[in-house]
Amino acid sequence: MDKATKTQISIVSFVIGLIMLFIPYLKDFGSVVPGITQYFSLMFYLGLLLVIIGYYLK
């Protein structure tokens, strides 16, 4: 794998992971679609996994 590609995958997965980690905190603002609240725990753990992968690939 090319170093630039590895760095890009690392940055993208880290950023997406951070976004997914903070989505459950938006439920207090009422700005989240009500149908996705059941997936908050899945989003949190998947986001945590993506952050770890992004950090490992750096």
Side-chain angles (χ1 to χ4, degrees):
M1 185 181 296
D2 190 14
K3 183 171 174 55
T5 306
K6 189 176 177 182
T7 303
Q8 289 172 346
I9 291 172
S10 169
I11 291 171
V12 168
S13 65
F14 192 81
V15 169
I16 290 174
L18 283 178
I19 290 170
M20 290 180 79
L21 282 176
F22 289 109
I23 285 177
Y25 294 109
L26 294 176
K27 68 180 175 185
D28 298 331
F29 298 116
S31 60
V32 177
V33 179
I36 66 168
T37 55
Q38 61 189 354
Y39 301 111
F40 278 167
S41 62
L42 177 67
M43 278 189 234
F44 176 78
Y45 290 116
L46 186 59
L48 192 62
L49 183 66
L50 285 173
V51 167
I52 291 170
I53 290 171
Y55 183 76
Y56 177 74
L57 288 176
K58 74 171 180 115

